[in-house]
Amino acid sequence: MLVVDDHVEMARLLADALTDAGYTVDVATSGREALAAVRGRVLDAVVCDLRMEQVDGFDVLAAVREADPTLPVLIMTAFGGVENAVEAMRRGAAHYFTKPFRLDEVLLYVQRAIAERRLREENRALRQAVGDRSAFAALVGRSAPLRALYELIERVAHSHAPVLVRGESGSGKELVARALHFEGPRQAGPFVAINCTAIPNALLESELFGHVKGSFTGATTPRRGLFLEADGGTLFLDEIGDMAPELQAKLLRVLEDGEVRAVGADAARKVDVRVVAATHQELEARVREGKFRQDLFYRLNVVPLRVPALRERREDIPLLVEHFIAKSRERNPRARLTGFTPEALAALAAAPWPGNVRELENLVERLAVVTVKETVDLPTLQLHAPGVTVDVHPLVQAQTRLVPLRQLEGEYIAYVVAQCGGNKTRAAEILGIDVSTIHRRERERGG
């Protein structure tokens, strides 16, 4: 916070009162000094006298509005200057109070201005995340692995402990992080996400922790950083395994002390942030290789969660396809796609999906855009997704053709053997039959 008054005693008196109230306070004893302070620091509020020599409160207010339009400015004025104070309000000041003032009144105005700013920022973040507000709705599926994940999220969401979400790329780790946030006590706070691989290490420190003006080349304005943006909420650090070692050390300090020091800043600031990290890598292996700090790993891995790959929950694919078709039609009102034939759906269920749910969503989106049919059949699917196999489930095939029960039984046995990679002993265990029965069915089918 910054207090600006060319009467030094008044500035010190107000600064001491704000410091006693728990704020970190800088003092400027002229408008010109205030301009330099505003451009070089990350601030929560500015309390500024209106009448000053050369550079007055209007000038300071204009500079603040240019540097950060959300930063609240509270104007102090003598009784005779109320008209000017009202003009300052018109120009964007958060409040004004007249001299002489009561210190408890000033503290109340300051507290209210800071709270209103935080509320506006949180509302903006919530509006951006409104599509994901019901986070469980985005985690589509009824399979046993997903139901187990739902139950774990419900238990973990109300904890404040860090969470490490593991899973393959595209499996839905950020959806899990959003569910943890929106199902827990921080749901009214901001949810802030960053991919640690998307930003160069040289800039990631500033992005996370903020910086003051002039702290490095190109730092022409101060930046609050994502930890401060997420204060009172959740910060999601995706692909944490790729973070540089020097940033790992700084992140560890934040987790242990609850304080953030901006690049180039003299003092640290308290933050209340729950950290949810995610990775597709084996962090234990990176710890052994010396590429990831062991102490940070233990600090993040307080509550581990694993997101199943799509191939581990193939029974969810029809529900996911239905969900993605609805989303695609919202984004593309002219799309005609309403569904897939049983054969095409079976082919989707049998595909390997190395890109997991994200790959499936992209495919459905592509088909919604490029096809003119309402229903995608198998030839159309293969035309636009040549990697999708034609090895459809025999029970799905039976929905469109009538076959003798013994033939269906043989086809299903062959299907299970194929899914087990040709391991007939394992297939027999799954089917609950003797392996000799499999050999006999193969002879009958000419296999």
Side-chain angles (χ1 to χ4, degrees):
M1 184 177 304
L2 179 66
V3 171
V4 187
D5 198 321
D6 55 1
H7 292 88
V8 179
E9 296 80 5
M10 179 64 71
R12 292 295 178 191
L13 173 67
L14 186 52
D16 289 344
L18 290 167
T19 300
D20 292 341
Y23 297 103
T24 301
V25 184
D26 292 326
V27 172
T29 55
S30 70
R32 196 176 302 279
E33 187 179 339
L35 295 182
V38 166
R39 297 190 185 102
R41 290 178 175 84
V42 178
L43 302 168
D44 287 320
V46 176
V47 181
C48 182
D49 190 26
L50 185 59
R51 300 270 183 150
M52 293 183 291
E53 298 264 337
Q54 296 181 329
V55 178
D56 63 11
F58 285 127
D59 298 320
V60 175
L61 174 59
V64 170
R65 298 285 293 172
E66 180 180 356
D68 183 357
T70 69
L71 180 61
V73 179
L74 296 90
I75 294 294
M76 299 181 290
T77 180
F79 181 78
V82 172
E83 294 82 2
N84 285 334
V86 173
E87 175 63 17
M89 293 281 290
R90 189 185 68 80
R91 298 189 188 190
H95 203 85
Y96 76 90
F97 45 89
T98 58
K99 298 178 181 179
F101 50 74
R102 291 171 47 189
L103 287 174
D104 58 347
E105 182 183 14
V106 175
L107 292 175
L108 178 62
Y109 288 145
V110 168
Q111 182 182 18
R112 184 180 298 166
I114 293 175
E116 288 175 353
R117 181 198 194 192
R118 174 172 293 181
L119 183 61
R120 286 194 300 270
E121 291 176 345
E122 290 174 353
N123 286 340
R124 185 179 69 250
L126 286 172
R127 284 194 300 271
Q128 292 174 350
V130 68
D132 301 303
R133 189 64 170 79
S134 180
F136 278 124
L139 286 168
V140 177
R142 300 173 188 157
S143 62
L146 211 58
R147 288 199 305 270
L149 182 61
Y150 291 153
E151 293 172 2
L152 195 53
I153 289 172
E154 288 179 337
R155 293 200 300 271
V156 171
H158 291 273
S159 166
H160 295 284
V163 177
L164 181 60
V165 183
R166 303 200 192 208
E168 296 179 5
S169 295
S171 58
K173 297 187 289 296
E174 183 170 344
L175 295 179
V176 170
R178 289 183 180 275
L180 288 168
H181 173 77
F182 287 115
E183 295 298 321
R186 294 174 177 266
Q187 59 182 252
F191 177 88
V192 179
I194 182 173
N195 188 316
C196 296
T197 62
I199 300 174
N201 286 326
L203 299 178
L204 185 57
E205 181 177 7
S206 168
E207 191 75 14
L208 288 173
F209 309 114
H211 65 257
V212 300
K213 181 186 176 183
S215 55
F216 56 87
T217 302
T220 56
T221 58
R223 179 174 177 80
R224 300 181 71 218
L226 296 184
F227 266 98
L228 286 177
E229 294 287 341
D231 195 16
T234 302
L235 178 61
F236 175 56
L237 302 174
D238 199 7
E239 298 304 347
I240 189 72
D242 293 315
M243 181 176 283
E246 58 271 17
L247 293 187
Q248 294 176 27
K250 194 162 185 176
L251 174 60
L252 179 63
R253 287 197 298 272
V254 176
L255 293 174
E256 291 179 340
D257 303 334
E259 294 183 341
V260 171
R261 185 189 297 271
V263 178
D266 297 327
R269 299 181 57 173
K270 281 283 186 183
V271 290
D272 174 25
V273 175
R274 186 186 195 181
V275 171
V276 178
T279 182
H280 73 283
Q281 304 185 50
E282 290 294 333
L283 286 189
E284 294 88 345
R286 292 186 69 79
V287 169
R288 290 192 298 270
E289 296 166 359
K291 296 178 180 178
F292 199 85
R293 293 180 63 106
Q294 187 178 55
D295 46 5
L296 178 59
F297 169 69
Y298 289 139
R299 196 71 183 83
L300 291 171
N301 200 40
V302 175
V303 181
L305 291 179
R306 180 180 174 276
V307 185
L310 185 54
R311 63 181 175 276
E312 298 174 43
R313 55 185 190 103
R314 296 181 185 275
E315 57 266 50
D316 291 332
I317 287 178
L319 288 174
L320 285 165
V321 168
E322 183 179 345
H323 175 69
F324 293 145
I325 289 175
K327 287 181 63 176
S328 298
R329 289 176 65 89
E330 288 178 6
R331 290 191 291 262
N332 305 284
R334 299 179 64 183
R336 300 181 61 188
L337 180 63
T338 60
F340 287 68
T341 65
E343 293 85 359
L345 205 56
L348 291 177
W353 300 116
N356 290 291
V357 177
R358 185 185 298 129
E359 182 184 359
L360 176 61
E361 181 176 13
N362 291 341
L363 173 59
V364 173
E365 178 85 11
R366 181 164 68 250
L367 289 167
V369 171
V370 302
T371 63
V372 294
K373 297 180 178 179
E374 292 186 358
T375 304
V376 172
D377 55 19
L378 190 55
T380 302
L381 176 64
Q382 289 183 288
L383 176 65
H384 295 282
V388 174
T389 66
V390 195
D391 183 18
V392 295
H393 197 294
L395 295 180
V396 175
Q397 287 182 322
Q399 296 178 17
T400 58
R401 62 190 177 95
L402 299 178
V403 297
L405 180 60
R406 192 168 186 81
Q407 178 183 336
L408 181 61
E409 179 188 88
E411 291 177 355
Y412 184 65
I413 289 175
Y415 176 82
V416 174
V417 171
Q419 295 301 305
C420 292
N423 187 330
K424 297 174 184 177
T425 302
R426 173 63 180 149
E429 292 174 357
I430 293 173
L431 292 165
I433 60 177
D434 191 88
V435 68
S436 62
T437 303
I438 295 179
H439 290 296
R440 186 168 61 254
R441 290 289 186 270
E442 285 183 342
R443 288 195 298 271
E444 290 173 357
R445 298 180 72 237

